[in-house]
Each structure stands twice: as structure tokens, then as C-alpha cells.
């Protein structure tokens, strides 16, 4: 499923493994410690190889933590991309702890890194809806709107933003959010 804006930019939804989809930049759902983890983070480090963690170790020496809502960039090792943007989403604690703003900010941070690097194709996982517990029906419209706003405005070098959704339920939640615009 995809949405094409009048300026030709495209927002696309696919079901699959984000480590297999070629892009200029792949976004990761990281944690504040930037030390790797399970879920998509584990898959990205496994497929990308040790150079990504090596770069994160250097970043960690400078910033210690990456707060929720922010992102850092590394190379992509063996992944079919130039960069990985490690974005930290919110841990969902009921919805009244600023989670929606923090989630939007995580996607926004990736779009900023993309703009700085002239990224044309960017892939996103569904940040925070795994271990971090964000209900996917609430997260999907925030994720899509935050990215779509830039595509629609044209204030980004990104031509194609692809949400790569791992499981059927997540894919369907994003499809529904996109269809109900
Ligand atoms: P978070 O801690 O931000 O919730 P998770 O990695 O636990 O991050 O989950 C985020 C989403 O990423 C979930 O929908 C999960 O199913 C999905 N996911 C896991 N592995 C992959 C993968 N290889 N490609 C794309 N998405 C993935």
C-alpha cells in the first residue's frame, strides 16, 4: 500500500524484515543506552555486523545516553544502506507521560538526520510498539503523520519513506491508519 503526494514523494507500507530492504538510511528502534537489544535492534546489529556497535561505542563516549525522542547516526556495516539512524522511542506508560510527543520526536529526529545527509530513501520500523509497549493503533497514525508532513510539504530530500512492518497485525494497523486519512 502506498500514498503518493502531488509533488511525487511516496509513503509506502510493506510487511517484512527491515534488514532486507535496500535504502539510503535504515531507522532502528534503539534504547537510550545504544547498546543493542532484542527485536529490530538485535536484527539490525546481527545483519549489519560489529562496525555499527563500534561506532555507537564512540558516540556513547561523547553523549553517554540518547534520550527518548532523539536519534544518532552510524554507518550501516553489511546492511543494504549507507546509514543507520538509531532512534529512541518512548516506553509506553499509559499515554499521559508525553508519549505521543516523544514518539513523534523520534521520527522527526530521523527526518532531520535524513535531511542533513541528503537521504532519498528511508526505511522505518514501528518504533516503540514492541517491547516498549506502545499500542500500535495509537502509534501508527503518529508515525505516519510525522513523516508524511515532510513529504507533503516537500521540505526534505526524502523521496520515498517506507515503513517495513514485521508482523501482520502491525502491518494491518498501519494500513488502517493510512486508509482512514
Ligand atoms: P521497541 O523497543 O521500540 O518497542 P521492538 O524492536 O521491540 O522496539 O519492536 C518494534 C517493532 O519492530 C515491532 O513491531 C517488532 O515486531 C518489529 N520488528 C522486529 N524485528 C524486525 C525486523 N527485522 N524488521 C522490521 N521490524 C521488526
Amino acid at each position: 500500500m502506498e500514498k503518493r503526494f502531488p509533488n511525487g514523494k511516496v509513503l509506502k507500507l510493506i510487511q517484512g524484515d527491515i534488514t532486507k530492504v535496500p535504502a539510503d538510511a535504515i531507522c532502528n528502534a534503539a534504547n537510550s543506552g545504544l547498546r543493542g537489544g532484542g527485536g529490530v535492534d538485535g536484527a539490525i546489529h546481527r545483519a549489519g555486523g560489529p562496525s555499527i556497535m563500534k561506532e555507537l561505542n564512540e558516540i556513547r563516549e561523547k553523549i553517554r545516553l540518547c534520550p527518548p525522542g532523539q536519534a544518532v547516526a552510524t554507518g550501516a556495516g553489511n546492511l543494504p544502506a549507507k546509514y543507520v539512524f538509531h532512534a529512541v522511542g518512548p516506553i509506553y506508560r499509559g499515554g499521559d507521560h508525553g508519549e505521543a510527543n516523544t514518539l513523534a520526536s523520534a521520527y522527526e529526529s530521523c527526518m532531520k538526520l535524513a535531511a542533513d545527509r541528503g537521504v532519498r530513501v528511508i526505511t522505518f520500523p514501528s518504533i516503540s510498539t514492541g517491547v516498549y509497549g506502545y499500542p500500535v493503533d495509537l502509534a501508527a497514525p503518529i508515525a505516519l503523520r510525522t513523516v508524511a508532513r515532510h513529504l507533503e510539504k516537500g521540505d526534505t530530500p526524502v523521496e520515498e519513506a517506507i515503513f517495513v512492518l514485521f508482523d501482520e497485525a502491525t502491518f494491518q494497523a498501519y494500513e488502517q491508519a493510512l486508509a482512514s486519512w
Side-chain angles (χ1 to χ4, degrees):
M1 182 176 195
E2 66 175 49
K3 180 171 177 63
R4 186 175 292 270
F5 296 95
N7 59 16
K9 295 183 189 277
V10 180
L11 180 64
K12 205 183 263 187
L13 309 182
I14 63 176
Q15 192 181 342
D17 177 348
I18 201 167
T19 66
K20 302 273 164 57
V21 180
D24 297 315
I26 297 174
C27 295
N28 181 17
N31 51 61
S32 283
L34 302 172
R35 290 180 189 279
V40 68
D41 199 7
I44 282 174
H45 283 283
R46 269 195 306 279
S51 68
I52 298 176
M53 188 52 79
K54 198 162 167 279
E55 279 188 63
L56 287 175
N57 291 339
E58 286 161 18
I59 290 170
R60 211 182 300 112
E61 279 175 21
K62 291 180 203 133
I63 66 166
R64 206 175 66 84
L65 286 177
C66 181
Q70 295 189 27
V72 300
T74 65
N78 304 322
L79 290 164
K82 292 195 197 80
Y83 309 106
V84 177
F85 298 157
H86 305 264
V88 182
I91 296 172
Y92 192 77
R93 294 188 291 142
D96 52 2
H97 292 81
E99 291 95 330
N101 282 338
T102 307
L103 184 64
S105 171
Y107 286 99
E108 196 67 51
S109 298
C110 292
M111 292 303 282
K112 172 78 168 58
L113 292 173
D116 295 344
R117 288 163 181 76
V119 163
R120 295 171 65 84
V121 179
I122 188 168
T123 54
F124 290 100
S126 179
I127 297 171
S128 282
T129 67
V131 171
Y132 279 7
Y134 209 121
V136 68
D137 54 319
L138 302 181
I142 295 169
L144 294 172
R145 285 203 181 276
T146 304
V147 174
R149 192 180 315 120
H150 291 290
L151 299 176
E152 196 166 20
K153 253 199 202 166
D155 63 352
T156 173
V158 173
E159 292 294 329
E160 197 175 345
I162 309 170
F163 282 81
V164 185
L165 307 158
F166 200 53
D167 56 282
E168 180 73 27
T170 303
F171 179 69
Q172 282 177 1
Y174 276 73
E175 264 196 332
Q176 208 171 4
L178 191 58
S180 66
W181 276 7

